[in-house]
Amino acid sequence: MDKKTCFTAETIQTRLSANPFAKLSDIVLDIIQEAIINLDILPGEKINMTAIAESLNVSRAPVREAINALVKEGFVVEKPNVNGYYALDISDKYMAEFFMARSTIEVAAIRICAARFHSIDCRHLKECCDVFRRCYKTNDYEAFVAADRDFHGSLVQYTGNSFLINMYASLNRTIAHYYSLSRYYLKNYGSRDIFNDFELLINEHLAMYNAIRTGLVDCAASTAQRHLDTCYSSFVHYYLTKGVR
């Protein structure tokens, strides 16, 4: 954990200046959660409440309150048997449930997009596909991950369905965590291990785009489901094999 960049008293003051009425423990919660999402605190790493309180120049009370709230949200795990709190570690079960939720929302979203393809910004979706392919070829993994997130998020936004959009928004922090893990893996291992899988992902994006622009509703849904299954199996196979340590 790099306390110099993650936890500073200046961060607290900046956020209080932006919102003087914010509860201190809520600010601390956001800071710790962002550190977990951005992998400044690694999966499974023990969280040192005393060190965080000292770095933020606050008492332990708001840190303890923030940690307890993060336990309820699932980003922190309490381990009484080893006396401590730990950042969420990624398991096969966790990823299976996450992708089940994503599939439920995204497959419904792509069906709507394909059914209304005349009003969908297909040009933007094609641009995402092109950036996705180009950036993987050039090892620009930051832009690669950004294009992937843009593509999937756009499909949900284009539905105009407020319920689907809000359901997807509820996954935002978990999605951000997933992409941080993906970015970490790509930067450290790149195409040495996973070139074929990512060629498949690129082609599946194009297949989804083509199904939408031609109004093939059932094809779009089955392609999206297959793509998300590929994402899940690739992540579990490669990430959980090597992990982030």
Side-chain angles (χ1 to χ4, degrees):
M1 187 193 310
D2 186 352
K3 301 176 188 61
K4 292 182 179 179
T5 57
C6 301
F7 304 107
T8 65
E10 289 76 14
T11 303
I12 292 285
Q13 292 307 315
T14 298
R15 298 193 184 205
L16 278 174
S17 296
N19 183 3
F21 301 103
K23 188 177 177 183
L24 184 57
S25 61
D26 289 341
I27 294 175
V28 174
L29 183 153
D30 286 342
I31 292 170
I32 296 173
Q33 189 171 53
E34 287 167 11
I36 293 171
I37 289 171
N38 295 329
L39 304 188
D40 295 312
I41 301 176
L42 296 178
E45 182 179 343
K46 186 172 184 179
I47 296 175
N48 188 329
M49 286 195 285
T50 300
I52 291 174
E54 290 175 353
S55 297
L56 293 176
N57 194 27
V58 299
S59 70
R60 289 190 57 176
V63 177
R64 188 182 305 108
E65 188 175 342
I67 292 295
N68 287 332
L70 286 170
V71 169
K72 293 179 181 177
E73 291 186 20
F75 275 90
V76 171
V77 178
E78 183 179 7
K79 297 183 180 180
N81 55 321
V82 289
N83 189 29
Y85 295 89
Y86 295 77
L88 169 71
D89 206 351
I90 307 302
S91 67
D92 192 345
K93 179 178 181 293
Y94 175 86
M95 293 310 299
E97 292 177 350
F98 169 58
F99 270 97
M100 182 182 292
R102 277 192 65 181
S103 295
T104 300
I105 299 168
E106 291 188 41
V107 171
I110 200 170
R111 293 186 71 92
I112 295 171
C113 289
R116 302 165 34 178
F117 68 96
H118 288 301
S119 61
I120 300 300
D121 189 353
C122 288
R123 180 179 296 181
H124 175 66
L125 294 178
K126 182 59 165 57
E127 287 174 356
C128 289
C129 291
D130 292 342
V131 171
F132 192 66
R133 177 185 291 277
R134 183 172 63 252
C135 290
Y136 185 72
K137 296 294 187 183
T138 58
N139 300 327
D140 185 354
Y141 299 130
E142 289 285 343
F144 175 84
V145 168
D148 186 54
R149 188 169 185 180
D150 188 7
F151 181 83
H152 286 272
S154 293
L155 292 176
V156 178
Q157 290 297 320
Y158 289 161
T159 67
N161 185 309
S162 61
F163 292 99
L164 283 178
I165 291 169
N166 289 335
M167 288 166 65
Y168 200 67
S170 73
L171 298 176
N172 272 344
R173 289 186 183 272
T174 305
I175 289 172
H177 194 207
Y178 163 75
Y179 278 117
S180 291
L181 294 165
S182 299
R183 190 182 302 111
Y184 178 97
Y185 187 92
L186 285 165
K187 285 182 176 179
N188 283 275
Y189 300 104
S191 61
R192 294 198 304 273
D193 298 332
I194 53 180
F195 181 79
N196 290 334
D197 277 12
F198 273 81
E199 281 290 321
L200 177 59
L201 293 174
I202 289 166
N203 290 332
E204 286 174 346
H205 271 201
L206 285 170
M208 292 163 67
Y209 157 74
N210 283 321
I212 291 170
R213 75 180 181 85
T214 52
L216 299 176
V217 176
D218 290 339
C219 179
S222 61
T223 303
Q225 184 62 66
R226 186 163 58 250
H227 173 65
L228 289 165
D229 289 344
T230 301
C231 293
Y232 164 68
S233 61
S234 294
F235 187 90
V236 168
H237 178 72
Y238 294 111
Y239 170 76
L240 294 183
T241 298
K242 294 183 181 293
V244 175
R245 293 289 184 272

